[in-house]
Amino acid sequence: MTFKAFTDYLLLEKNYSKLTVKAYQSDIESFQNFITNHYKSKSITNVNYPQIRTWIVSLVETGLTNRTINRKISSLNTYYKFLLKVGDISQNPLSKHRALKTSKKVQIPFSEQEIKTVLDDLNFDNSFEGLRNKLIIELFYSTGIRRIELVELKTSSIDIFAKTVKVLGKRNKERIVPLLNSVKETLKKYLEARNNLTIITDSGHLLLTKKGVKIYETLVYRIINDYFSQASAKVKKSPHILRHSFATHLLNQGADLNAVKELLGHTSLAATQVYTHNSITELKKVHLKAHPRSKK
């Protein structure tokens, strides 16, 4: 069975995105290179767990986090499960592997005031880049979109009149997210500036660099970090923190958990519930303030 059969399985049967499949491929190729270099083997179909364990130790020694190592092992495990399914191997060498322990990351959202400071008090000029940067921040905070989802937005994804954006999420699952009036106005100004670019190479994509090509993830991260560094002392200032802020602020204002789940594009409610801890804090304040026996 060829490796292409595996990637086709991920794309067509599992409905994984091309980006996810590329990550799987990279992880498995990394293991293949290790096996070739250390054991002079050209095939990873007949390796044993001790050999995999040696690879894991080498990954730890390079300084990778346990979370990243677990992801790489998960990719390899998925491959072995596929080979087992099609009958290319009789036993999965990772069947008894236990994931490395990882500490839970505490994601601290931006406060409403910090976001207000960025959007209302910082200077966004009317240049192409100024309008684009403001639109990126507004899209993140008003839709809860993921970074890769934002990068891949098409001009056809936006319906200005209906005030909606069509987002292509994980496993190519589409969702429709409403746009606020303020975002609509910024969007219109951005599109006008975009149309005035001298060269547009990636005309299908909504968000471009000033050279007319599709915006890229590291630039998006840098934009968020640069602007929020002027308004927040938090250690982590990233697109994901804006997504986290979107969900937390909605829940703080009484939004239904299921509705937030749909807006975020989560497949299960459990994934959305990680955002509720701040909401519980707000509920406690309201409860303490409003309950007739709170003063007793």
Side-chain angles (χ1 to χ4, degrees), residues 16 60 89 163 204:
Y16 287 176
V60 172
I89 59 174
K163 290 189 290 188

Side-chain angles (χ1 to χ4, degrees), residues 101-112:
K101 289 185 178 179
T102 58
S103 57
K104 285 190 176 181
K105 290 183 178 179
V106 178
Q107 303 283 2
I108 303 174
F110 297 119
S111 68
E112 292 181 34

Side-chain angles (χ1 to χ4, degrees), residues 7 17 25 29 31-32 34 40 52 57 66 115 167 172 178 189 193 212 238 246 260 265-266 268:
T7 56
S17 70
Q25 188 170 352
E29 285 176 353
F31 178 62
Q32 174 68 75
F34 177 84
K40 310 303 178 188
I52 297 176
V57 170
N66 284 4
I115 291 172
V167 181
N172 294 321
K189 291 176 183 177
S238 69
F246 163 81
V260 176
H266 286 159
S268 72

Side-chain angles (χ1 to χ4, degrees), residues 246-248 250-251 255-266 272 275:
F246 163 81
T248 301
L250 280 179
L251 290 167
D256 178 71
L257 191 62
N258 274 299
V260 176
K261 166 184 169 288
E262 294 302 317
L263 289 169
L264 291 170
H266 286 159
T272 313
Y275 298 105

Side-chain angles (χ1 to χ4, degrees), residues 68-242:
T68 299
I69 294 170
N70 283 341
R71 191 209 71 219
K72 289 179 176 293
I73 298 166
S74 177
S75 298
L76 188 61
N77 192 32
T78 301
Y79 182 53
Y80 283 130
K81 283 181 178 179
F82 170 76
L83 293 178
L84 196 62
K85 183 178 180 180
V86 297
D88 277 13
I89 59 174
S90 58
Q91 187 175 356
N92 179 354
L94 278 167
S95 60
K96 294 183 179 179
H97 172 77
R98 298 180 70 178
L100 304 181
K101 289 185 178 179
T102 58
S103 57
K104 285 190 176 181
K105 290 183 178 179
V106 178
Q107 303 283 2
I108 303 174
F110 297 119
S111 68
E112 292 181 34
Q113 182 56 52
E114 285 172 331
I115 291 172
K116 185 178 185 301
T117 298
V118 169
L119 290 174
D120 297 345
D121 299 340
L122 297 188
N123 179 44
F124 293 91
D125 57 41
N126 286 319
S127 67
F128 167 76
E129 288 187 314
L131 291 167
R132 180 203 62 195
N133 293 352
K134 186 172 186 181
L135 178 61
I136 285 172
I137 294 170
E138 287 190 337
L139 281 171
F140 273 131
Y141 183 56
S142 67
T143 68
I145 199 170
R146 298 179 178 94
R147 178 167 43 166
I148 185 60
E149 292 171 345
L150 177 126
V151 167
E152 294 298 334
L153 280 179
K154 306 291 193 296
T155 51
S156 59
S157 304
I158 304 291
D159 188 330
I160 289 182
F161 298 104
K163 290 189 290 188
T164 59
V165 56
K166 183 163 61 176
V167 181
L168 186 63
K170 289 184 176 181
R171 302 190 182 184
N172 294 321
K173 184 182 178 183
E174 285 187 349
R175 66 184 187 278
I176 304 294
V177 182
L179 291 175
L180 300 176
N181 281 325
S182 58
V183 183
K184 176 184 171 182
E185 293 308 310
T186 305
L187 180 61
K188 286 164 70 174
K189 291 176 183 177
Y190 164 74
L191 288 173
E192 188 177 336
R194 181 183 181 278
N195 290 336
N196 290 329
L197 287 176
T198 307
I199 299 173
I200 296 180
T201 305
D202 294 320
S203 59
H205 285 91
L206 176 67
L207 296 162
L208 306 177
T209 70
K210 62 182 179 181
K211 294 182 179 179
V213 297
K214 182 179 74 170
I215 202 167
Y216 48 96
E217 289 193 62
T218 52
L219 176 56
V220 173
Y221 181 92
R222 195 159 66 240
I223 289 167
I224 300 303
N225 189 68
D226 287 350
Y227 278 96
F228 278 89
S229 290
Q230 301 176 60
S232 174
K234 290 182 173 63
V235 174
K236 190 170 183 181
K237 295 173 278 287
S238 69
H240 185 71
I241 297 299
L242 262 178

